[in-house]
Amino acid sequence: MLLSLDRISKRFERSSGATKLALTDISLELERGQIFGVYGPSGAGKTTLLRIAAGLVSPDGGEVSYDGRRLNELPAGELMRLRRREIASVWAAETPPAGLEVLEHVAMPLLVDDRDHRGAARRAREALAACEAEQCAGMMLNELSDGERQRVAIARAIVIEPRLLLADGPARNLSLIEQEAIMVLLSSLAHDARVAVLVTDSDSETLVGADSVHYLLGGKFVNPAASTHPGKIYQFPGRSRQAAADA
Amino acid sequence: MPESTEPPVLLELENVQKDYSSPGETIHAVRGASVCVREGERLALLGPSGSGKTTLLLLIGGLLRADGGSVRYAGRDLAELSKRETLTYRREQLGFVFQGFNLTAGMSARENVAVPLLLRGVAHSQAHERAGVALAEVGLSRRGSRPPERLSGGEQQRVAIARALVGEPSLVLADEATGNLDSHTGEEVLALLGELPRRHGAAVILVTHDTRAAAHADRVLEMSDGHLRESATPATALPSAPTRP
């Protein structure tokens, strides 16, 4: 198993002194070539879940294992190495530095890892092409459309050829067609390139194409028995794909 | 004739205008702004949300083109720069500090700071060494291996300041740099932004609605409804031009 979360819990202290249970008793397993989808409303714990899977946040309880090794027992340097070379992420709230060209933005993880500029640029072009965003290479980040920005973000994540991709709402704020295109891209990464993908969204219908889809609410997975039927577990009122298209 | 002791002009805005148009509506974000910034000078640009401050900063940063007037840097009109020249201008002359820090998750603080140098083609080992020096300057020499997620908000903004300064820019643009920080930490960040760029010989423009920034500036400008004017707030004397290291 590439990624395993076993009975994870996480709480945050609020400035008022109150405690918020961000995650409670969360378990999941993910193998290479699989897409694991998690959906739920804002504040459900989706981003916290991904940050724990990335080793960016330590859980208060339970264990996170990557390739058989417990993340919280790894030295900081080894964790950084994993994030640089094996565990890639796309964060919904991440704002890249201003004034960067797309190609150098995508190549940046390789440059940080001491790869040569020419090789990094070539790999960045390949990653952009894989995400059908090669036409963006010479553009500035602030010139991209929302859909292009997400494709570029995924290209930047996969430029390291990761084994695990953590994608936090990569289809957020996109049109239905663009959402579908992003999920097709993630499916291709999982099923063709054998990347393990853990992806979140607020809407289950966006995650069609995932091998399993789970509903996260208040930090807990709910309706686990129904979770093997992607796209048919939960429907937000008035938000079916057809209704949105008709609108 | 005695020689002028004033530092040379670095940035000059002359009657700059910027409009945002949508069907049936035109917003005049910047209306005829004129200002001159000298080398090593510290400006606080104050004004409420929506007054046009950030638009002005984007115009100076070459991220927006003016609809009228001119933005000249070291005597050159930014509108005349090619895309490549604009990129070089931003990369080599400017340092940016944002409200949201804009650090890359998962990369260590030192790696985040090294990025501007790596993009310029500086060797990896040298870039990391200089990043370490920059982090020490902001008091984070022991935090270099931590990713942003394991740093406090104030520490993240210090990393962003180190990143802005590591390439030895001539001008640092700080947009609401204290917006996500508590009052005490915000004051510390303002003090750093008032002191560090100057030590490096860089001018700094602090765009903020935080009036405490005035205490860390040589001059205070106010922006209101797209109009820019010099504030009546007393400011300290212009600095002499520091020697660039």
Side-chain angles (χ1 to χ4, degrees):
Chain A
M1 196 56 57
L2 187 68
L3 177 70
S4 169
L5 274 64
D6 184 24
R7 301 178 69 84
I8 292 296
S9 64
K10 181 69 185 176
R11 66 178 67 87
F12 291 113
E13 297 284 332
R14 290 186 164 140
S15 53
S16 62
T19 298
K20 181 193 177 184
L21 286 172
L23 294 174
T24 305
D25 201 25
I26 294 292
S27 297
L28 68 86
E29 291 190 330
L30 182 58
E31 190 54 275
R32 293 191 74 170
Q34 290 181 334
I35 304 186
F36 191 105
V38 176
Y39 73 100
S42 177
K46 303 187 295 295
T47 300
T48 301
L49 176 65
L50 263 61
R51 288 160 84 93
I52 286 175
L56 293 168
V57 173
S58 299
D60 295 319
E63 283 176 3
V64 187
S65 299
Y66 174 81
D67 207 12
R69 295 187 291 172
R70 292 178 182 174
L71 279 190
N72 60 349
E73 292 178 0
L74 293 179
E78 175 62 6
L79 251 182
M80 293 298 294
R81 190 197 70 78
L82 285 178
R83 283 199 292 267
R84 203 178 291 134
R85 300 195 171 168
E86 298 190 20
I87 303 174
S89 41
V90 177
W91 300 107
E94 189 167 71
T95 311
L100 283 185
E101 210 173 39
V102 166
L103 188 68
E104 60 190 13
H105 176 63
V106 174
M108 195 190 297
L110 300 176
L111 297 177
V112 167
D113 199 24
D114 201 12
R115 314 290 177 89
D116 73 279
H117 271 249
R118 190 175 296 177
R122 189 185 66 247
R123 286 270 295 279
R125 286 187 191 283
E126 290 169 356
L128 284 166
C131 297
E132 297 181 347
E134 59 268 53
Q135 74 282 1
C136 301
M139 296 168 70
M140 304 300 295
L141 287 173
N142 59 314
E143 294 173 337
L144 300 175
S145 69
D146 289 343
E148 288 172 334
R149 191 172 298 121
Q150 290 306 91
R151 287 175 177 279
V152 166
I154 295 170
R156 186 174 186 273
I158 67 168
V159 75
I160 63 169
E161 297 182 34
R163 299 172 78 200
L164 172 63
L165 174 63
L166 306 169
D168 185 22
R172 193 175 296 171
N173 299 329
L174 301 184
S175 69
L176 290 176
I177 291 173
E178 287 172 320
Q179 286 178 7
E180 199 164 309
I182 292 293
M183 284 308 296
V184 167
L185 172 58
L186 294 182
S187 293
S188 171
L189 282 171
H191 301 141
D192 301 333
R194 306 278 303 151
V195 178
V197 179
L198 178 54
V199 56
T200 68
D201 198 88
S202 59
D203 189 345
S204 68
E205 294 193 356
T206 304
L207 300 174
V208 171
D211 298 302
S212 63
V213 178
H214 295 251
Y215 182 34
L216 188 66
L217 182 65
K220 297 177 185 172
F221 282 144
V222 298
N223 295 336
S227 64
T228 52
H229 305 287
K232 295 181 181 174
I233 314 157
Y234 181 89
Q235 202 154 297
F236 282 79
R239 178 61 174 81
S240 72
R241 186 171 295 271
Q242 189 56 50
D246 292 342
Chain B
M1 287 278 289
E3 282 186 26
S4 169
T5 55
E6 281 193 329
V9 171
L10 183 70
L11 176 75
E12 192 171 10
L13 275 65
E14 191 175 347
N15 197 27
V16 172
Q17 296 175 48
K18 182 66 187 176
D19 300 332
Y20 297 113
S21 296
S22 58
E25 187 184 22
T26 297
I27 297 168
H28 304 291
V30 178
R31 306 171 190 240
S34 297
V35 66
C36 182
V37 182
R38 294 183 180 275
E39 288 183 7
E41 194 174 13
R42 303 173 304 176
L43 261 67
L45 175 53
L46 306 178
S49 297
S51 60
K53 307 187 301 295
T54 295
T55 297
L56 198 67
L57 208 66
L58 294 174
L59 290 164
I60 294 169
L63 294 161
L64 280 180
R65 286 283 167 102
D67 295 321
S70 64
V71 181
R72 286 193 293 279
Y73 189 88
R76 188 131 185 235
D77 192 334
L78 296 189
E80 294 171 357
L81 301 184
S82 67
K83 189 174 175 183
R84 179 57 50 185
E85 287 173 326
T86 304
L87 198 62
T88 303
Y89 158 67
R90 275 198 294 265
R91 189 169 295 161
E92 298 188 359
Q93 303 298 328
L94 305 183
F96 291 92
V97 179
F98 299 97
Q99 177 175 353
F101 319 136
N102 293 18
L103 301 175
T104 300
M107 272 169 40
S108 70
R110 186 189 290 251
E111 288 169 341
N112 267 284
V113 175
V115 161
L117 299 177
L118 293 170
L119 291 174
R120 280 196 212 172
V122 174
H124 190 266
S125 57
Q126 194 187 345
H128 276 245
E129 187 181 329
R130 286 173 61 180
V133 172
L135 281 171
E137 275 200 287
V138 297
L140 291 178
S141 52
R142 290 167 179 265
R143 294 278 196 269
S145 61
R146 292 197 184 189
E149 295 77 16
R150 295 203 182 254
L151 298 172
S152 69
E155 288 173 331
Q156 289 187 53
Q157 196 58 296
R158 284 167 181 262
V159 173
I161 293 170
R163 183 183 59 190
L165 289 172
V166 74
E168 297 292 342
S170 302
L171 175 61
V172 173
L173 303 175
D175 190 12
E176 298 289 4
T178 63
N180 281 349
L181 305 175
D182 63 54
S183 175
H184 175 69
T185 310
E187 179 60 37
E188 288 179 347
V189 163
L190 285 173
L192 268 180
L193 284 169
E195 174 55 31
L196 271 186
R198 189 177 198 175
R199 200 187 296 169
H200 285 255
V204 61
I205 301 178
L206 301 170
V207 170
T208 180
H209 62 267
D210 186 342
T211 52
R212 293 176 305 172
H216 302 280
D218 304 305
R219 283 162 63 204
V220 178
L221 302 172
E222 289 179 358
M223 196 126 192
S224 174
D225 196 23
H227 296 286
L228 182 69
R229 65 181 176 84
E230 194 98 15
S231 169
T233 304
T236 56
L238 274 176
S240 57
T243 306
R244 289 176 69 80

